[in-house]
Amino acid sequence: MNRLSFDRGWKFARFGLLPEGGSRPEPEGMEKPSFEDGAWRTLDLPHDWGIEGPFRGDLPNETGKLPWAGIGWYRKVLPQQAAGKRVYLDFDGAMSHPKVYVNGVLAGEWAYGYASFRVDLTPHLASTGTNLIAVRLDNPPDSSRWYPGGGLYRHVWLVTGNAVHLAHNGVFVHTPDVTSERATVAIAATLERETAGVSVRHEVQWKGKGIAQAEGLKASITLPRPQLWSVATSNLYTLKTTVWVAGKLVDSHDTVFGVRSVVWDAAKGVLINGQRVTLNGVCNHHDLGVLGGAVHERAIERQLEILKEMGCNAIRTSHNPPAPELLDACDRMGFLVIDEAFDCWRRGKKPNDYHLDFDAWHERDIVSFVHRDRNHPCVIAWSSGNEIPEQGNAAGAALSRELTALFHREDPTRLVSAGCNNANAGSNGFSETVDLFGYNYKPQLYGAFRARYPRQPLFGSETSSCVSSYGEYFFPVEQDKSKGFYNFQVSSYDLYAPPWAMKPDIEWEGLDKNPSVAGEFVWTGFDYLGEPTPYNQDRSNALNFSDPKEREKAMALFEKLGNHSPSRSSYFGIVDLCGFKKDRFYLYQARWRPELPMAHLLPHWSWPGRDGQITPVHLYTSGDEAELFLNGKSLGRKKRAPLTYRLVWDDVLYAPGELKAVAYKNGKHWAEAIQRTTSSAVALKLDADRKALTGGHDLSFITVKIVDAKGEQVPSADHLIHFTLTGSAATLAAVGNGDATNPRSFQTDEYPAFHGLALAIIRAKHDTKGEVILRVEAAGLKTAEVRIRVAAQ
């Protein structure tokens, strides 16, 4: 089949609930070719209508204070297609409840906004002339617990071919027997419209060269000395499957796959190719920070690069099927994936969420989900659900068994799990309905579960939920996890968490005491839009202000906002909404990359007015011992005790200057970390992660740093930054600063810094090339600029 992008040149308009408030009725006949859409916007996909804003104080901060709820229509002309061909549209996702019309006739629909699906256009196409494709989407309010986005936010593909062809996601490849000496590649193909004289051939290719062949709808190929896929060596093969009728080639499809074995063992955890791989994992929601829910391959890749630097090796797709591009990137970069289907089953968590569609759609959703993702070597297990309300009753257990069986029917090669927050799910029989058991926030129960179920693999499916804000530190430093919440921010000492959660150290103690647990998935790798715990809609949050005058101002603001907090994005991330590393990044790096010489000190050391006051110092290091110095004077050498994960000096008296830690491992020098007191901000400094782009929505992420005369980041700097982009080969896609409370749109040309940092994202255009220059300015600071080259696509 011929597969081409169908992303460009759509017409778009919104109805129902509108971004600025109010509503707009839907006209009749928008699915028909005769409808006049000349006044509609023209845009390219992927497109998230919610991220366009504005942020509104009257909207729930649970879903990001963004106007994602409403109705959207997309229309596009499809040129006349060749006679006798089958014509399909493949949607990687559409948020939500898409109805697809061809020339005014409903051709197909789906319900789940995260699902990928195919629509057959063929019966509805005109025999001559063009055809009108119209897509209606309906995002009802109260249908999500986090920011879902809205629109055709993933890619759309035009697929054409002959009457006899491979079915949609109709090639299944797996490797049932793997050793370093040989591997068996098992292949199962499904055809649309089998006919006499048809034959199916398969060729395994390595780096573009054919190395083995087989024939048949079901086939087996033996590979001698295979190049194995793992987190360390993410080798990928290609299977080229061709379909022939009476000696004529009628279809061809390439399937990327990896040769690896996956074994879940109750005592040893996850074994990849026979070797234990501890799951150093994170959960991530689907949005891409300031870019919103729209899929951008480079943004996904950048997130994984940052996580890999931390030592992360696994992703749990929380709590829905991910964009296909995430799994492609995990295949290439060597990440393991728990691929999750649902956040609810028959019992909902929001009035209009998936529970309304579950009975009618869940089987189709699972089949589509599994068939799409089953060839990815990165996928090591399925998850049927997250924190399902049915964990506590017999009906829920029976339903869980049905879902597990459905996953097994569609993919007998992988095990099935669920993320369970109900403590009783590990003892009431619910755990017996899945192959792997995942506990959410229950490290204290790992031992009891292992004693009860000595043969069932166990992992931390959701852990910690520690909260923090980049660059925020509050004094005194409290050990109580419910403290540290002030001024709508959270102290970055990494000690604070909501009631159900805990600092990372407690989860690690549970893991270290129970080494049979396969590992963990931290909530979350990145901050995301929505769920700004602990600053939800509770008016009492205003009482978390340390200063009486600030509290009074906050109460007035609460009144103005209808008693809603101004926070609009999460504090859970190890990395913030812009991709800036919080202190917690280095705490996890110290544990997950013990072979890396590293040390990280906190807090920053620029505290005017704190002279002589107690300012606790924490050191995160992969070393086992360290000595702390303030202006050259030793403040003591400390050795890390068993089941402790940070070194702490609680009684440091602040004095400006240089704070330095020297870390040791096994008695030898290992790493150093320094925090210096900064002087006044004098300049802007830019760092582009990539200065050469390829046209077609490629991205460059440019960090803006405010520095003093010595080039040190000034942690108190909050200047308003102006962005100017010159050149026609790219656009300024988004800006931000990681502050969860900032109500400014991300789609603007000015944004304040937050603790000395801001971000700009440059997006390359289609069908153009050349150089663009980003210039950044702020009052009283030296201007900076960076040049980005855009090559033709």
Side-chain angles (χ1 to χ4, degrees):
M1 302 289 279
N2 187 34
R3 186 173 185 256
L4 298 173
S5 172
F6 203 62
D7 285 346
R8 297 178 63 184
W10 287 81
K11 292 283 191 176
F12 169 73
R14 282 192 65 168
F15 304 90
L17 296 173
L18 295 179
E20 302 286 351
S23 63
R24 179 185 179 191
E26 286 183 272
E28 293 185 358
M30 287 187 289
E31 74 279 12
K32 297 178 180 179
S34 59
F35 184 84
E36 178 53 55
D37 59 13
W40 289 18
R41 286 172 58 190
T42 300
L43 53 77
D44 295 339
L45 309 179
H47 171 237
D48 172 12
W49 71 53
I51 199 63
E52 298 172 353
F55 289 105
R56 283 170 35 197
D58 63 311
L59 293 177
N61 60 8
E62 181 183 35
T63 52
K65 291 187 174 293
L66 284 165
W68 54 270
I71 295 167
W73 278 83
Y74 295 81
R75 287 164 52 95
K76 180 174 176 176
V77 172
L78 172 67
Q80 182 175 340
Q81 300 296 298
K85 298 293 185 181
R86 305 299 300 183
V87 183
Y88 304 94
L89 282 184
D90 286 355
F91 293 82
D92 287 347
M95 190 65 68
S96 61
H97 300 92
K99 293 181 181 293
V100 182
Y101 298 87
V102 181
N103 296 325
V105 178
L106 181 64
E109 61 184 312
W110 212 265
Y112 197 21
Y114 296 102
S116 297
F117 61 98
R118 168 170 283 186
V119 175
D120 187 357
L121 310 185
T122 315
H124 312 289
L125 296 176
S127 58
T128 60
T130 60
N131 299 273
L132 192 282
I133 309 298
V135 183
R136 182 188 188 270
L137 299 171
D138 184 2
N139 261 2
D142 292 320
S143 58
S144 179
R145 298 190 299 121
W146 56 87
Y147 175 73
L152 294 178
Y153 71 116
R154 294 179 180 172
H155 293 294
V156 178
W157 306 92
L158 177 65
V159 181
T160 59
N162 295 302
V164 178
H165 60 269
L166 292 162
H168 187 215
N169 295 320
V171 178
F172 181 22
V173 186
H174 64 282
T175 52
D177 300 301
V178 175
T179 69
S180 59
E181 296 300 315
R182 65 175 46 83
T184 300
V185 180
I187 306 160
T190 304
L191 291 176
E192 292 281 354
R193 286 194 60 185
E194 290 191 49
T195 187
V198 67
S199 64
V200 179
R201 304 172 191 173
H202 310 280
E203 180 182 71
V204 173
Q205 298 179 344
W206 172 251
K207 295 184 177 179
K209 181 181 178 181
I211 58 173
Q213 297 81 31
E215 293 192 13
L217 288 173
K218 291 188 175 181
S220 179
I221 294 175
T222 299
L223 298 179
R225 298 189 177 278
Q227 301 293 320
L228 300 184
W229 186 96
S230 70
V231 295
T233 58
S234 49
N235 296 309
L236 295 172
Y237 288 85
T238 298
L239 178 73
K240 178 175 284 293
T241 300
T242 53
V243 180
W244 304 75
V245 175
K248 181 181 178 181
L249 178 65
V250 296
D251 195 13
S252 177
H253 181 76
D254 290 346
T255 303
V256 175
F257 71 100
V259 175
R260 93 294 185 258
S261 66
V262 177
V263 174
W264 289 81
D265 184 274
K268 299 178 182 178
V270 184
L271 306 178
I272 307 296
N273 305 323
Q275 301 296 315
R276 172 167 178 151
V277 177
T278 300
L279 296 173
N280 298 332
V282 300
C283 304
N284 265 350
H285 272 316
H286 80 292
D287 78 63
L288 295 170
V290 298
L291 292 168
V295 166
H296 292 272
E297 291 84 339
R298 172 56 195 159
I300 291 171
E301 184 180 65
R302 175 181 180 252
Q303 285 195 345
L304 293 179
E305 288 171 351
I306 293 169
L307 293 172
K308 200 173 191 72
E309 181 186 350
M310 184 173 66
C312 176
N313 62 13
I315 305 291
R316 174 176 172 234
T317 69
S318 311
H319 303 292
N320 44 259
E325 289 77 12
L326 174 67
L327 300 184
D328 292 340
C330 288
D331 285 345
R332 294 193 309 269
M333 299 174 70
F335 282 81
L336 307 176
V337 175
I338 303 291
D339 211 356
E340 192 156 81
F342 305 122
D343 188 48
C344 66
W345 297 342
R346 288 195 177 109
R347 290 181 59 186
K349 299 175 181 179
K350 302 293 292 182
N352 294 319
D353 68 12
Y354 184 73
H355 79 281
L356 299 176
D357 299 308
F358 179 85
D359 281 332
W361 284 94
H362 73 269
E363 181 171 358
R364 281 176 285 182
D365 279 324
I366 289 175
V367 171
S368 172
F369 172 47
V370 171
H371 286 197
R372 189 195 72 172
D373 293 352
R374 61 189 175 181
N375 294 322
H376 287 280
C378 66
V379 177
I380 59 170
W382 307 108
S383 172
S384 60
N386 167 69
E387 299 186 353
I388 299 301
E390 291 94 333
Q391 294 167 69
N393 58 60
L399 179 54
S400 180
R401 288 186 189 278
E402 292 177 17
L403 296 179
T404 297
L406 184 54
F407 275 99
H408 287 167
R409 185 191 78 189
E410 301 303 318
D411 175 19
T413 73
R414 290 179 179 85
L415 301 184
V416 180
S417 67
C420 295
N421 64 326
N422 185 331
N424 295 326
S427 58
N428 66 6
F430 188 88
S431 69
E432 299 171 26
T433 69
V434 292
D435 307 310
L436 317 169
F437 189 65
Y439 249 144
N440 289 9
Y441 312 108
K442 300 295 184 293
Q444 74 278 10
L445 298 181
Y446 291 160
F449 181 88
R450 176 54 64 237
R452 185 175 293 107
Y453 295 106
R455 296 182 180 178
Q456 185 170 25
L458 171 67
F459 66 101
S461 44
E462 198 168 306
T463 64
S464 186
S465 270
C466 184
V467 285
S468 64
S469 304
Y470 175 88
E472 294 278 357
Y473 307 94
F474 302 128
F475 305 101
V477 175
E478 305 275 1
Q479 294 298 315
D480 184 340
K481 72 177 182 179
S482 68
K483 307 298 183 181
F485 307 149
Y486 299 107
N487 304 350
F488 294 117
Q489 302 292 352
V490 183
S491 181
S492 193
Y493 273 95
D494 302 325
L495 299 168
Y496 309 109
W500 70 85
M502 64 213 69
K503 62 184 179 180
D505 315 51
I506 294 175
E507 174 64 31
W508 293 341
E509 182 177 349
L511 291 171
D512 288 344
K513 287 180 176 179
N514 298 277
S516 68
V517 180
E520 66 171 321
F521 290 87
V522 183
W523 191 265
T524 55
F526 278 74
D527 276 335
Y528 54 94
L529 294 164
E531 289 191 320
T533 306
Y535 300 111
N536 49 29
Q537 297 178 21
D538 185 354
R539 179 184 172 92
S540 66
N541 280 314
L543 302 180
N544 289 317
F545 279 76
S546 54
D547 182 90
K549 292 183 178 179
E550 290 296 322
R551 183 183 305 123
E552 185 177 344
K553 286 169 58 179
M555 294 298 283
L557 176 61
F558 260 46
E559 293 285 353
K560 183 178 179 181
L561 298 178
N563 296 329
H564 289 220
S565 160
S567 302
R568 46 81 172 137
S569 54
S570 83
Y571 301 83
F572 291 117
I574 299 170
V575 183
D576 79 7
L577 206 65
C578 288
F580 301 145
K581 301 163 187 171
K582 301 182 189 179
D583 292 297
R584 229 177 324 143
F585 175 95
Y586 301 97
L587 185 59
Y588 280 95
Q589 188 182 65
R591 177 176 174 85
W592 288 352
R593 297 184 67 183
E595 77 294 343
L596 176 71
M598 59 78 61
H600 175 77
L601 275 172
L602 64 126
H604 66 72
W605 211 242
S606 298
W607 296 104
R610 283 197 66 79
D611 292 44
Q613 296 185 45
I614 291 176
T615 307
V617 173
H618 290 202
L619 176 69
Y620 303 157
T621 180
S622 52
D624 52 33
E625 191 174 3
E627 187 169 8
L628 185 67
F629 299 88
L630 178 55
N631 295 324
K633 180 182 178 180
S634 176
L635 301 183
R637 183 161 171 161
K638 294 179 180 284
K639 190 173 182 67
R640 193 162 62 194
L643 301 178
T644 60
Y645 306 96
R646 63 180 89 193
L647 294 173
V648 177
W649 289 261
D650 274 328
D651 56 356
V652 176
L653 300 181
Y654 177 76
E658 180 183 89
L659 186 71
K660 179 178 179 179
V662 180
Y664 300 86
K665 194 164 190 174
N666 300 322
K668 297 181 179 180
H669 181 275
W670 183 246
E672 296 183 1
I674 294 175
Q675 292 280 9
R676 295 186 178 93
T677 304
T678 60
S679 55
S680 298
V682 299
L684 294 161
K685 182 179 179 182
L686 301 184
D687 180 21
D689 70 336
R690 297 156 81 237
K691 293 184 179 180
L693 305 180
T694 301
H697 288 187
D698 199 2
L699 301 175
S700 176
F701 290 80
I702 301 168
T703 299
V704 184
K705 186 180 295 186
I706 299 177
V707 298
D708 66 8
K710 294 182 179 180
E712 300 276 355
Q713 180 182 333
V714 180
S716 60
D718 59 359
H719 299 64
L720 183 64
I721 299 171
H722 300 269
F723 302 87
T724 304
L725 186 69
T726 57
S728 60
T731 61
L732 183 62
V735 296
N737 65 11
D739 179 3
T741 70
N742 196 305
R744 288 176 179 260
S745 168
F746 299 135
Q747 299 179 348
T748 182
D749 59 4
E750 62 178 24
Y751 214 87
F754 184 58
H755 296 295
L757 290 180
L759 178 74
I761 304 175
I762 302 301
R763 180 170 57 211
K765 291 181 181 179
H766 289 285
D767 302 328
T768 188
K769 62 180 180 179
E771 183 178 77
V772 298
I773 301 172
L774 179 68
R775 181 180 178 88
V776 295
E777 302 169 282
L781 302 180
K782 184 180 179 181
T783 297
E785 63 180 38
V786 64
R787 296 170 182 267
I788 307 293
R789 293 288 306 174
V790 178
Q793 189 174 10

